[in-house]
Amino acid sequence: MLTKRIIPCLDVKEGRVVKGVQFVSLRDAGDPVELAAFYDKEGADELVFLDISASHEGRQTMVDVVMAVAASLAIPFTVGGGIHSLEDMKRILRAGADKVSLNTAAVLRPELINEGAGYFGSQCIVIAIDAKYDETIGTWRVYTHGGRKPTERDVITWAKEAVERGAGEILLTSMDCDGEKSGFNVDLTKAVSEAVTVPVIASGGAGNAMHFEDAFKEGKADAALAASIFHYKETSVKEVKSFLKQQGVVVR
Amino acid sequence: MIGIIDYGMGNLFSVSCALDRLGVEWFISDDPEKLQNAKGLILPGVGSFKDAMALLDRQELTRFIQDYAKSGKPLLGICLGMQLLFEESEENGPSKGLALLPGRVVRFSGTDRNGESYKVPHMGWNRLKFTNRSELQNGLEQDYVYFVHSFYVETDDKTVITASAEYGVEVPAVVGRGSVYGMQFHPEKSGGMGMALLENYLELVEGKV
């Protein structure tokens, strides 16, 4: 039986992990490779690196980070942020990433999903969706540009289209829950998970181990992603997994 | 020296990184003459079966791999590389494989024997169940490894399957006969268990000098 995956997410800017990571045990808390190794040891099933570099040089540096992580780590990892073309995908995947995640670029030009899946296979293409509930339409709306721009698309329809075009996985972030630490958006996660035939990663809102249980049991997520609660050591991957095991959720 | 077969569709970098971590010498090549000198080969692979066979044929690697395996030198196929070891696949229309092991490659139906639906691809960590003895599994406990695939091997000859994983069906995960071996999952991405399996293969290669 497939296990439910726990995925720490690291924000990388100009080659360094940013957004405060509190690891006194590490020599350098900003080093992506060192942090990746730490989470690997903790039992993380996978990692996501989000490249938030603003400059071209920063994005080049990301390629070096990807190569260094691939050389030292024996677990899968995804790279997202700033991937706009098949060339961008090639650069990151050839450097050793297992998957790339596309967000704004895929919404602006959905054919990009077909191109990526056609070239590398669906298993390499993750579609990241930033979702926010809209009362006027009674469903969730897709946002782009890091959550700044609303689009005309509704989340369920977009998720289905992305999968038809070849997406192998959906990384679903609830903007309503993100940063609140009051739990994943179970309704949203469940709605998308039931609408598509590929794995769904729940993201946004993790505050404690019980929230992961809800995402898996009620939200029907296949994986769950969190950043700050792991970085600030409010809980650990190990703790979350041992709690989930007690609750009958199959984890590695 | 381990030869990694480069036919244009492999996850060569992560495989070679794993060999580096194990302190083994390796080289990557698409040239049968060079690959012939390797003590053991690894056939990686990501992508579609049909495309992979077309590339192997075009680079005159198909016959080479078959002869190499028949000579008794060890060969390990990983993921698509394992599927290529079998007789045929239904991916994108039927196509012939290397036919070093008996069986065919079919797509996950997405519905299990109880009519429950499951997601395809089979993506994530799944537990190996050892079903037959294999040198690759020597000294190891059944543990989790990382899978990513939409097609799996179906075979009437269960003796070639040495470990399987449950996902809608019994998925052959480690296979082997004689000096031909395969792993459906990615050992290079499967943490400590994956590295231990690779290490066993490398020891077996060294032992057969």
Side-chain angles (χ1 to χ4, degrees):
Chain A
M1 201 174 159
L2 214 47
T3 65
K4 299 294 187 183
R5 287 171 282 153
I6 306 293
I7 308 176
C9 176
L10 301 164
D11 284 355
V12 179
K13 190 179 181 187
E14 323 290 332
R16 306 279 297 167
V17 175
V18 293
K19 259 213 224 164
V21 176
Q22 290 183 345
F23 285 135
V24 282
S25 58
L26 298 179
R27 272 179 294 132
D28 176 2
D31 178 22
V33 180
E34 221 174 310
L35 274 164
F38 173 86
Y39 282 122
D40 177 19
K41 220 182 293 163
E42 278 261 289
D45 296 301
E46 223 169 302
L47 294 171
V48 170
F49 293 92
L50 199 57
D51 183 12
I52 55 169
S53 298
S55 66
H56 178 69
E57 291 74 22
R59 298 210 184 288
Q60 280 302 331
T61 310
M62 190 64 197
V63 173
D64 299 335
V65 170
V66 171
M67 290 186 86
V69 171
S72 64
L73 224 64
I75 60 170
F77 67 100
T78 302
V79 175
I83 296 169
H84 296 289
S85 64
L86 189 62
E87 284 310 310
D88 291 339
M89 291 186 229
K90 285 183 188 171
R91 236 184 30 240
I92 294 293
L93 290 170
R94 283 182 182 153
D98 300 281
K99 313 175 200 177
V100 286
S101 126
L102 310 174
N103 191 334
T104 303
V107 174
L108 296 179
R109 202 172 68 82
E111 295 77 22
L112 189 59
I113 305 173
N114 306 65
E115 291 166 16
Y119 197 88
F120 291 104
S122 291
Q123 77 285 344
C124 290
I125 311 297
V126 181
I127 295 303
I129 304 178
D130 291 334
K132 191 173 182 179
Y133 193 74
D134 187 333
E135 274 177 15
T136 61
I137 52 171
T139 181
W140 296 273
R141 192 186 282 281
V142 177
Y143 278 66
T144 57
H145 299 84
R148 292 190 299 277
K149 274 196 186 174
T151 69
E152 290 304 306
R153 293 178 183 270
D154 111 79
V155 169
I156 308 293
T157 317
W158 172 232
K160 281 188 182 170
E161 182 185 334
V163 171
E164 272 164 32
R165 288 181 179 276
E169 200 168 25
I170 303 286
L171 167 52
L172 181 65
T173 301
S174 164
M175 291 170 58
D176 302 298
C177 297
D178 202 25
E180 296 291 318
K181 297 193 179 173
S182 52
F184 293 97
N185 191 330
V186 170
D187 294 337
L188 168 70
T189 307
K190 185 171 182 226
V192 174
S193 192
E194 286 179 343
V196 297
T197 51
V198 302
V200 173
I201 307 168
S203 156
N208 59 45
M210 278 175 288
H211 294 152
F212 287 85
E213 182 191 3
D214 296 341
F216 294 137
K217 285 188 176 169
E218 289 169 47
K220 305 197 169 176
D222 300 279
L225 175 144
S228 56
I229 58 161
F230 293 142
H231 300 331
Y232 289 107
K233 291 202 164 171
E234 288 165 30
T235 183
S236 68
V237 175
K238 220 176 251 174
E239 272 172 19
V240 169
K241 283 193 159 184
S242 79
F243 173 80
L244 289 171
K245 256 180 214 168
Q246 286 165 22
Q247 306 309 313
V249 178
V250 185
V251 290
R252 179 169 71 107
Chain B
M1 197 85 120
I2 295 281
I4 304 174
I5 306 171
D6 177 14
Y7 56 102
M9 288 180 74
N11 44 332
L12 305 177
F13 186 68
S14 40
V15 172
S16 62
C17 283
L19 297 183
D20 278 340
R21 285 196 292 275
L22 292 168
V24 178
E25 289 196 70
W26 53 267
F27 67 97
I28 291 174
S29 178
D30 59 357
D31 180 355
E33 270 181 41
K34 289 191 182 126
L35 292 165
Q36 184 61 48
N37 298 321
K39 277 188 199 168
L41 292 179
I42 292 180
L43 179 64
V46 172
S48 101
F49 191 101
K50 198 171 218 163
D51 295 347
M53 281 312 297
L55 285 164
L56 287 175
D57 284 343
R58 197 180 311 154
Q59 298 172 53
E60 291 171 12
L61 285 163
T62 304
R63 171 54 72 79
F64 162 72
I65 295 169
Q66 287 167 333
D67 290 345
Y68 186 94
K70 276 168 198 152
S71 77
K73 288 210 258 182
L75 166 68
L76 172 67
I78 294 175
C79 198
L80 174 65
M82 169 188 126
Q83 297 180 357
L84 296 172
L85 303 174
F86 288 83
E87 290 163 299
E88 58 174 356
S89 169
E90 64 174 25
E91 186 173 2
N92 298 337
S95 42
K96 295 269 174 237
L98 294 166
L100 295 166
L101 297 172
R104 55 196 301 271
V105 180
V106 297
R107 195 172 204 281
F108 283 109
S109 70
T111 312
D112 70 11
R113 38 184 105 76
N114 304 320
E116 297 278 326
S117 63
Y118 59 88
K119 296 190 174 181
V120 180
H122 173 213
M123 184 192 287
W125 297 82
N126 206 335
R127 197 185 185 86
L128 289 182
K129 189 172 88 188
F130 294 169
T131 53
N132 277 304
R133 209 196 67 81
S134 165
E135 295 91 334
L136 297 185
Q137 293 152 208
N138 270 352
L140 302 183
E141 302 273 326
Q142 305 186 126
D143 205 341
Y144 289 98
V145 290
Y146 186 78
F147 289 86
V148 186
H149 61 127
S150 301
F151 290 77
Y152 68 97
V153 167
E154 212 175 53
T155 180
D156 295 329
D157 186 349
K158 303 293 180 214
T159 62
V160 301
I161 305 168
T162 63
S164 63
E166 177 69 37
Y167 192 67
V169 291
E170 279 284 313
V171 182
V174 184
V175 297
R177 168 165 293 166
S179 58
V180 177
Y181 301 90
M183 298 182 195
Q184 177 61 71
F185 49 90
H186 286 278
E188 76 282 9
K189 289 286 167 185
S190 295
M193 179 62 169
M195 295 304 280
L197 285 159
L198 271 180
E199 202 165 9
N200 276 349
Y201 175 68
L202 299 170
E203 274 178 16
L204 177 155
V205 170
E206 287 305 317
K208 291 207 173 162
V209 186

